[in-house]
């Protein structure tokens, strides 16, 4: 290829790039800052429907917030499927903080939410945990669901008011299940209600 052809191609590339650059819509430098929300939920598997429901709700809320002309920020949601596995949740949370630069993270269930709690605190991140375990520390971690301290008394009242004397307590094998069982056990023993627990 001769030198004239090389120069011709270079000039053509510069010309095309210039046209593309000057014809792009101008960005508004006064745009509102973006708040990035990391949503780590199961989107597949037996609990995938929970994550999908939460995502649909979150999208509706964010669309409504972003349509308000008087809003202070623009809101963006970044979604990742952790398959309800704590190890995945940790990996995803690290990526969301270091690469995606999210401002806060929402996670589900006590196992994954407990797993990333130290990470959220050490990075001074806001973390909304959809967990029955009370993870809130009032600074970084906040529960966005009822906790075991709400559920255990309600479950015990249900059993006691119906006069049950022998019950089976079935819990998922997660920290919240252990916590709720621990809260119910003393009351059951005190009232002489026999129980068998299954995790």
């Amino acid at each position: 290829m001769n030198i004239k052809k090389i120069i011709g191609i270079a000039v053509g590339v510069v010309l095309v790039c210039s046209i593309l650059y000057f014809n792009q819509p101008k960005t508004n430098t006064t745009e509102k800052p973006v708040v990035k929300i990391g949503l780590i939920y199961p989107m597949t598997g037996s609990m995938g429907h929970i994550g999908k429901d939460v995502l649909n709700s979150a999208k509706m809320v964010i669309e409504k917030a972003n349509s308000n002309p008087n809003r202070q920020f623009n809101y963006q949601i970044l979604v990742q499927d952790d398959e309800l596995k704590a190890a995945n949740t940790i990996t995803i949370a690290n990526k969301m903080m270091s690469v995606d630069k999210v401002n806060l993270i929402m996670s589900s269930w006590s196992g994954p939410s407990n797993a990333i709690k130290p990470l959220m605190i050490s990075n001074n991140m806001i973390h909304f945990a959809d967990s029955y375990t009370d993870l809130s520390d009032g600074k970084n971690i906040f529960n966005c669901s009822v906790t075991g301290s709400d559920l255990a008394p309600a479950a015990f009242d249900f059993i006691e008011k119906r006069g049950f004397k022998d019950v089976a307590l079935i819990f998922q094998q997660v920290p919240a299940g252990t916590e709720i069982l621990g809260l119910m056990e003393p009351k059951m023993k005190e009232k002489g209600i026999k129980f068998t627990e299954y995790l």
Side-chain angles (χ1 to χ4, degrees):
M1 192 180 283
N2 63 36
I3 192 74
K4 286 184 182 177
K5 208 167 193 178
I6 292 170
I7 291 170
I9 291 169
V11 169
V13 169
V14 169
L15 186 61
V16 168
C17 289
S18 300
I19 291 167
L20 289 173
Y21 175 79
F22 288 110
N23 283 307
Q24 279 190 354
K26 301 295 178 262
T27 55
N28 184 356
T29 54
T30 61
E31 269 188 24
K32 298 174 187 343
V34 176
V35 173
K36 292 183 179 180
I37 302 163
L39 187 75
I40 309 174
Y41 268 75
M43 296 289 163
T44 56
S46 61
M47 297 295 181
H49 63 283
I50 293 172
K52 289 172 185 169
D53 286 346
V54 169
L55 176 58
N56 288 335
S57 301
K59 281 180 177 177
M60 285 192 302
V61 170
I62 285 173
E63 281 173 22
K64 185 174 181 180
N66 284 338
S67 68
N68 179 356
N70 300 318
R71 70 191 179 280
Q72 191 175 355
F73 303 101
N74 286 325
Y75 299 93
Q76 180 185 0
I77 191 162
L78 290 85
V79 186
Q80 288 286 313
D81 176 12
D82 67 355
E83 301 171 7
L84 207 59
K85 296 176 182 171
N88 293 352
T89 315
I90 293 168
T91 302
I92 292 166
N94 272 312
K95 180 206 170 266
M96 283 185 163
M97 287 188 292
S98 61
V99 177
D100 300 319
K101 306 294 184 196
V102 296
N103 301 97
L104 63 98
I105 286 178
M106 293 180 66
S107 67
S108 68
W109 297 66
S110 55
S113 296
N114 264 302
I116 63 169
K117 181 176 179 176
L119 187 63
M120 300 295 100
I121 292 170
S122 65
N123 286 279
N124 199 25
M125 286 286 294
I126 298 293
H127 175 208
F128 289 102
D130 187 0
S131 166
Y132 297 131
T133 303
D134 189 358
L135 297 174
S136 181
D137 67 356
K139 181 178 181 288
N140 295 93
I141 318 297
F142 300 92
N143 275 73
C144 60
S145 64
V146 294
T147 65
S149 55
D150 303 307
L151 291 172
F156 177 76
D157 286 347
F158 178 87
I159 292 165
E160 188 181 33
K161 283 178 181 171
R162 280 156 184 79
F164 297 148
K165 297 297 177 198
D166 195 352
V167 297
L169 302 174
I170 304 169
F171 297 99
Q172 292 202 343
Q173 195 167 359
V174 292
T178 306
E179 183 177 289
I180 295 167
L181 176 61
L183 291 166
M184 289 182 71
E185 211 167 352
K187 286 185 167 247
M188 304 279 278
K189 287 179 178 173
E190 179 188 317
K191 295 291 181 178
I193 301 170
K194 293 179 186 174
F195 62 93
T196 307
E197 74 261 17
Y198 299 93
L199 289 175

